[in-house]
Structures are given as C-alpha cells and as structure tokens.
C-alpha cells in the first residue's frame, strides 16, 4: 500500500488521505469497543456500560493524523534518503557535516556558560532552581559520565556495563572522607578520582582477559557487587540508609554555602538567602569538570595511548603484532574512564548531600551506556547530545501535566517515562543505527583532515 | 650437500630448532628446523594445511610451541628466545614484525594513523608514558613529527602518499596488502614475516610487491621470511626456500634446488598411479642422501 506512495517524488496527498481513512476505520474497529465502551459497576453492584466514546475518538484521530503524516511525508522522505545513502555519501557532504558539528559545539559551549544567567534573568532567583538544578546540573552529570564511559566503550571498544560502580566509589569516597576526616571537597575531588581509577584497575586485572559478552557480564556483576557491599557493610557505609548531611562544596574555602556560616555567600554579597546561588555554583562546577573530561579525552586521542585504544577497538590481534601491550592499554582505558566516573561521583555526593546504594543501581549503568551508544560511540558531541535527549527528555516528561486535560486526572506522564524512553531508543536505532554522530575525526593528518565515515569504523568486541 | 656450505647458516637472523606444535592429537608442525639468513628473503612454502601459518604463529608468539627453540640474533649480537616471549614482546623487543593472511588493518583509521600506531612504543616513551603528553610538556610534538616523517617515507615506498588521509578500509585490496607491509616495517623490525603477501593480487600488483620486497632487502636492515603460494614470487625474489608438507620439512635449499627436488614436485603435483613405485624408489634414494647430508 505504501510502496506506491514512496515511489513518487512529491507527497501524494490524496493517496495519503485514503490511507489515513483506512487506518482510522481499522483503529475505530479495534479501539471503539476496547476504549469507547467501558464496563463498570454502579452503586447497586450492577454491571453497567459507560460510554467512553470521546476518548476512543481522540485516539482514532491521533492514529489517522499519524498515518497521514507517515504516508504523505515520512515514508517518501525515508525512501529518498535510502536512495541517496545507497549512492555513497560524498566526502564533501561529510566535510560539511563535520563543519556544522564544529559550529554547533562552539555555539553549545557559549550557551552552556550563559545558561544560568539566562535562567536567572527569565525566572528570577527562586524560579531558576528547577531549571538550573534539574535540567542543567542533572544533564551535565550525565554528559560527564557519558564522556568518561566513552573512553572505555567508544574509544577502546570495551563494553563496560558496571560503570556506575566507579561513580559509587567516587561518591562514597567523598561522603566518608568528608564526614570522618573533615577534608574539603577540593582535596577529596582528586582523591575520589584516584580511588575510583584504583578500583578500575582492580577490576581490570582479572576481567580484561575476557572479551565481548563475557566482559560485559563480569563488569555488570562488579557493579552489583559494589552496590551489595555498600548495602550490607553497615558499619562502613551505613547500609541502605545511606550517608546523609554530607558537607557542601565551598567556593575554594572563601565563601561557604551553608546557611549558618559566617562567610555565607548570599550574606557576604547582601543577597536574599536562597539555595539558588549554590545551584548556580554547582552548575559551573560540573560544567568545568565535564569540560576537563572533554579536554583530557581529546588530548589523549592525539597521544599514542589514545591511538592504541582506537586501534584496539579496530583489531586487537593486529595491535599485539605491532608490539602494543594490550592488557596495559585496556587497563589504562578502564582506569581513566573510572577516574572521571569518580570525579562525577564525588560531585554527585556533594550536590545531593546524601548518598545511598539506591542511587547506584544497574539502571544507572544502562542509562550511561545508552547515552554513549545513542550518541555514536567515540563522538564527544554525539554523547553530549544524547545526554541532553535522554536526561532532559525524561525530565521534560514531568512537565507534561497539561496532558491531564486530555486524558483525565488519572493520567500521570511520569509513568510513561520508560515506555517513551524505549520507543525513542527504537526510533533512533532505526533512523541512525550508529548513533547521532557516527563519523570519526582522524587524530593526525598529512595534507588535510578528512572525516571518516562511520561505516568503516569498527565497534570493538571486548 | 653439507649444511656448512649453506650461506644462510653462517649468520642466521632466525634459527628454528626442533619446533613441534601439537593441537590435541593433531601434529601441525613436526620437528622443524631451519634458519633464515641475515639480509635474505626466505620463503616457506608447501601445500594447503602444511602448517606454514602455524610456524608463523609460533615465531611471532601467537602460539606457544609444544617443543622447540627459536632464536633471534640481532646485528648487535643480542639474542632473544622467541618461545619464551608473549606476542607483543616478540615485536617490541625481538623486533619481529608480521602481516596476516587475512588483512588486519585498522580500517576506520587513516593510512597515516595506521603507520603511527605501529610506532606506538617509541612514541609512548616520547609522551612520558602519557603523563607529560597530557600536560603538553616534553618533546612529544617533535617526536610525533619524526614519526610522521617515517610514515611518509613508507607511504612513498608503497606509492600511497596521496591517500595518506583516507581511511585504510577504503583502499583497494592490493593497496591494503602493501599498507600492511608498510605498517609492519614502521615498527623497525629485524625480521619481517609476511603471510601470503601476494594472495589475491593481479600480475601487475604482484610485480610491484616483488619490487617492494627487494627494495626492503636492499635498503633496510630487515630480513624477510614469507609464506607464499605464488611460485613466480617465490622463485623470483627468494634466496632460500623451505618446503613443508604435513608439518614436516621435505626440502630446504635455493629456489633452483627445491624446484627440481622430486619430493617437492610430488607434494605439489602428485604422481600418477603407475609412477608411484618409481617415485617411491627415487624418494628413498633422496631420503638416504638427505640423512647422509644432515648426519655429517
């Protein structure tokens, strides 16, 4: 039915309209009885039929509109795209894309730095908290985690499903050391990174002789082990109750964000007391941490170790034939990836003021892996975009309460988060199977830098 | 035909002694001994399944041989026992580089990057084991420029300079074979092991390959050990041919000698039924001759 429409160049509206009518009839036949007629009990415990037709009709209308759009615009577009991609993507096109990405990243960077100011101006001090904290800080944590894991999965091609373990090590390092030894965040941040990378190496030694699926399973198990130890070793970690009242980060010891402190930031600058300033400060802190991750990663890619990671992803046997110690190379990828996870973890602990094993479940690892895969393995900008889409997207769903007007007061968009999340993943995997940005930028060039099509880049197998 | 007279035994770069490799009950290589002379092109030939690639995998450390000893002798007199080394050390310390029967390039990386990865170990030291490199101190930049120069030298040699910035996976088959050789050469090897470098090449590409290998023998301090099926390549460029059949050495000599060796002819072409007796008789004679020769 659709094959006719796809062959034509322009959208065939008549055909699409007919298609939509047919889809509407089928939808009505299905949904009319299913949704439109509802059986219920009345006060006398009698079974009565409730007419719920308007809602059914809304669904039918949605189906028709969707089908019309599909048949009229989306299918022809996909067909046209398919025909084009078959005729090999030209180099010029790839170049243009790379340039666009570069402009995008520069624009994005400027936007990231002015974002809190913009929000403060738009929503006022109190109103800004939600936008800076829930969106800004939350997304940036995942951008940083995505970039950290990108080293392990995207560059070295090692599927690590237990990345959240290192996030947990970082968070608990800060929480425990800050509470027990009263050390400042600025001392503990590097220490948390070192401890996390130390655990990365401990995990790495036994695990890195495994490949592919086996590696994935063992890393997954490691993530769970860390969480279970945190739950059960109550003397050490406080068990599932977690650790609370973790000290806040200070502005390099000059100003504190504790309400009672004499050098409180708001007091010092004669501002109204609000937690918003702390959130803005945290925003810039995580932004700088994320940019540090990006900077170090781009730097590493141009060093022999980074090239060895990518070569390892391409062909491990060839690497060994060239005298590269693959065990050490994998270990460094694990350790450096874990280090950034540890940084992010200690930031997380400082931001929340509370950590518990609940925050480090497998779902977290899965989300971070999904971000890396969705973004296009190895692409920094792709991963950042994916983090915005995944974390920002799920946060946005909380804002959809206006849909209650359509679906009734029982409707809670939060409940559909995972459903939509899965649907979005499927759509993107069909549309862009290698992630948002799959093309690879070479790390050295003789004459000119040419973008490498993602089709040639391998994904690694452990 | 005593072994003393053979030129490759005077200053061998690689000596293989009593190499045996068993996979369970299968004996892939059986008590193989040969040496490859310094500066020579040594060819290892034999019918399919003769165990040639297994020998290569033992030499380059990918397999641990069941028994046997393999000694690399560098020009400065240093010796390395290959059977005791893990695979990457064979390349790093003993300076044995190899190519693969099914090409193993880093297809998503450019030609230049492929050649830079091959120079990993010296560059790693130059980058202060990464620590100094990340901070941007130390002489890494200069060392990287040198590495790029070296890569360019080899790209010139394999006539692929104009494609330096293209991904390796985009190259045609013959060029990929040449690039793999160049990549192995970038590790600065004393011995280059080539596993069927001419497989799948057309006659013109095959001639280019001969030229490249002869060039390496002439200009570099690198000896070559190659597995090959293409007899034109073997006869034209090799100094020394070792023939394997069912894991056992059946002939060892100059190309002309092996070409006329009845055992080699029998192994390659087979013999008619009525000729079996005659050939067997001849073989016995040859065998007797051989045992005399090696018994000294």
């Amino acid at each position: 039915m659709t094959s006719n429409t796809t062959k034509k160049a322009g959208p065939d509206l008549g055909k699409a309209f007919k298609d939509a009518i047919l889809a509407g009839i089928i939808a009505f036949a299905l949904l009319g009885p299913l949704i439109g007629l509802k059986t219920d009990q009345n006060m006398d415990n009698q079974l009565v039929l409730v007419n719920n037709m308007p809602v059914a009709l809304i669904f039918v209308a949605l189906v028709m509109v969707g089908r019309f759009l599909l048949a009229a615009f989306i299918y022809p577009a996909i067909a046209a795209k398919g025909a084009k991609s078959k005729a090999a993507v030209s180099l010029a096109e790839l170049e243009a894309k790379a340039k666009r990405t570069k402009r995008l990243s520069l624009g994005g960077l400027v936007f990231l730095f002015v974002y809190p100011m913009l929000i403060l101006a738009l929503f006022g001090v109190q109103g800004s908290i939600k936008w800076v904290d829930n969106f800004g800080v939350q997304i940036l944590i995942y951008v940083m985690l995505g970039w950290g894991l990108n080293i392990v999965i995207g560059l070295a091609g090692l599927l690590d499903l237990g990345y959240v373990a290192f996030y947990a090590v970082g968070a608990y390092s800060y929480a425990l050391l800050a509470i027990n030894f009263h050390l400042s965040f600025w001392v503990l941040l590097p220490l948390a990174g070192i401890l996390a990378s130390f655990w990365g190496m401990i995990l790495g030694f036994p695990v890195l002789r495994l490949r592919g699926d086996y590696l994935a399973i063992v890393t997954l198990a490691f993530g769970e082990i860390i969480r279970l130890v945190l739950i059960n070793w109550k003397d050490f970690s406080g068990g599932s109750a977690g650790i609370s009242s973790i000290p806040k980060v200070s502005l390099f010891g000059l100003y504190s964000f504790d309400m009672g402190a004499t050098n409180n930031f708001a007091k010092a600058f004669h501002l109204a007391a609000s937690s918003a300033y702390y959130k803005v400060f945290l925003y810039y802190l995580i932004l700088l941490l994320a940019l540090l991750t990006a900077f170090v990663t781009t730097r590493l890619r141009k060093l022999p170790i980074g090239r060895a990671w990518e070569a390892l992803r391409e062909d491990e046997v060839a690497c060994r034939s060239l005298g590269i110690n693959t065990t050490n190379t994998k270990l460094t990828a694990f350790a450096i990836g874990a280090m950034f996870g540890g940084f992010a973890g200690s930031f997380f602990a400082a931001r929340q003021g509370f950590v518990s094993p609940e925050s480090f479940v497998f779902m977290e690892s899965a989300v971070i892996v999904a971000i890396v895969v969705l973004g296009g393995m190895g692409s920094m900008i792709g991963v950042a975009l994916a983090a915005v889409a995944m974390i920002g997207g799920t946060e946005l769903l909380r804002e959809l309460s206006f849909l209650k007007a359509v679906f009734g007061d029982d409707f809670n968009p939060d409940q559909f988060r995972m459903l939509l999340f899965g649907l979005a993943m499927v759509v993107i995997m069909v549309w862009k199977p290698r992630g948002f940005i799959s093309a690879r930028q070479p790390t050295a060039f003789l004459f000119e830098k040419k973008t490498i099509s993602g089709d040639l880049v391998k994904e690694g197998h452990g | 035909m005593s072994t003393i007279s053979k030129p490759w035994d005077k200053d061998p770069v690689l000596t293989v002694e009593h190499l045996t490799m068993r996979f369970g009950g299968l004996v892939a290589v059986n008590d193989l001994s040969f040496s490859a002379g310094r500066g020579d092109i040594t060819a290892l030939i034999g019918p399919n399944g003769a165990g040639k690639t297994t020998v290569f995998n033992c030499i380059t450390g990918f397999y641990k041989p069941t028994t046997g000893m393999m000694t690399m002798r560098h020009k400065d007199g240093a010796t390395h026992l290959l059977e005791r080394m893990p695979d990457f050390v064979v390349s790093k310390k003993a300076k044995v580089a190899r190519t693969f029967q099914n090409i193993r390039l880093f297809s998503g990386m450019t030609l230049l990057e492929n050649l830079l990865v091959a120079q990993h170990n010296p560059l790693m030291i130059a980058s202060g084991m990464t620590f100094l490199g990340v901070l941007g101190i130390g002489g890494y930049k200069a060392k990287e420029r040198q590495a790029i120069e070296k890569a360019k030298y080899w790209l010139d040699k394999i006539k692929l300079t104009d494609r330096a910035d293209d991904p390796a996976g985009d190259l045609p088959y013959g060029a990929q074979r040449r690039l793999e050789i160049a990549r192995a050469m970038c590790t600065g090897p004393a011995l280059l092991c080539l596993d069927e470098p001419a497989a799948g090449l057309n006659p013109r590409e095959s001639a280019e390959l001969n030229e490249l290998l002869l060039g390496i023998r002439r200009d570099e301090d690198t000896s070559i050990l190659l597995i090959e099926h293409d007899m034109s390549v073997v006869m034209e460029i090799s100094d020394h041919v070792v023939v394997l059949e069912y894991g056992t050495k059946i002939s060892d000599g100059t190309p002309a000698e092996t070409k006329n060796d009845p055992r080699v002819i029998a192994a390659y072409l087979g013999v008619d039924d009525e000729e079996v007796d005659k050939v067997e008789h001849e073989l016995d004679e040859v065998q007797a001759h051989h045992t005399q020769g090696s018994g000294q």
Side-chain angles (χ1 to χ4, degrees), chain A residues 91 295-296 299-308 310-327 329 336 440-453 456-458, chain B residues 62 87-89 91-92 96-98 100 103-110 112-114 116-118 120-121 123-124 127 130 133-136 140 144 148 152 155 161-162 164-167 169-170 183-184 187:
Chain A
L91 209 67
F295 172 75
V296 172
R299 208 59 195 258
L300 284 174
R301 270 196 74 210
K302 296 198 167 96
L303 287 171
I305 189 75
R307 288 201 194 104
E310 292 199 76
L312 199 67
R313 178 192 63 200
E314 298 281 324
D315 195 323
E316 188 180 338
V317 173
C319 272
R320 283 190 276 147
S321 85
L322 296 174
I324 296 173
N325 185 341
T326 48
T327 315
T329 308
I336 293 175
R440 179 180 171 270
Q441 295 300 322
T443 59
F445 59 92
L446 207 54
F447 306 113
E448 55 167 336
K449 199 169 188 170
K450 293 178 189 168
T451 306
I452 296 169
S453 150
L456 291 168
V457 182
K458 296 205 178 88
Chain B
F62 281 82
D87 43 20
F88 73 91
V89 182
S91 167
K92 192 176 170 180
V96 179
R98 73 168 294 179
F100 295 88
I103 305 173
R104 285 180 176 274
L105 286 171
F106 307 124
S107 58
M109 302 172 88
T110 66
L112 181 68
E113 283 179 305
N114 268 272
L116 287 179
V117 171
H120 176 80
N121 287 318
L123 282 178
M124 200 66 188
S127 71
T130 308
V134 169
L135 302 172
Y140 175 68
E144 192 188 36
I148 290 175
K152 191 167 174 299
L155 285 171
T161 315
D162 54 330
D165 299 320
D166 289 334
D170 260 356
R183 190 181 65 178
T187 63

Side-chain angles (χ1 to χ4, degrees), chain B residues 42-54 56 101-102 173 177 194-201 206 209-210 213 225-238 241-246 264 267-269:
Chain B
T42 309
L44 193 60
I45 65 168
N48 283 334
K52 304 177 298 279
T53 301
T54 310
F56 257 45
Q101 201 169 345
N102 43 343
Y173 188 80
R177 283 243 175 250
L194 305 172
D195 198 343
E196 299 204 19
L201 300 189
S206 192
L209 175 78
N210 286 356
L213 296 184
L225 178 65
L226 61 91
I227 291 177
E228 195 44 79
H229 275 301
D230 187 337
M231 280 305 149
S232 73
V233 174
V234 172
M235 294 304 156
E236 222 170 281
I237 66 169
S238 53
V241 180
V242 177
V243 190
L244 283 186
E245 191 190 15
Y246 299 119
V264 177
Y268 264 88
L269 302 176

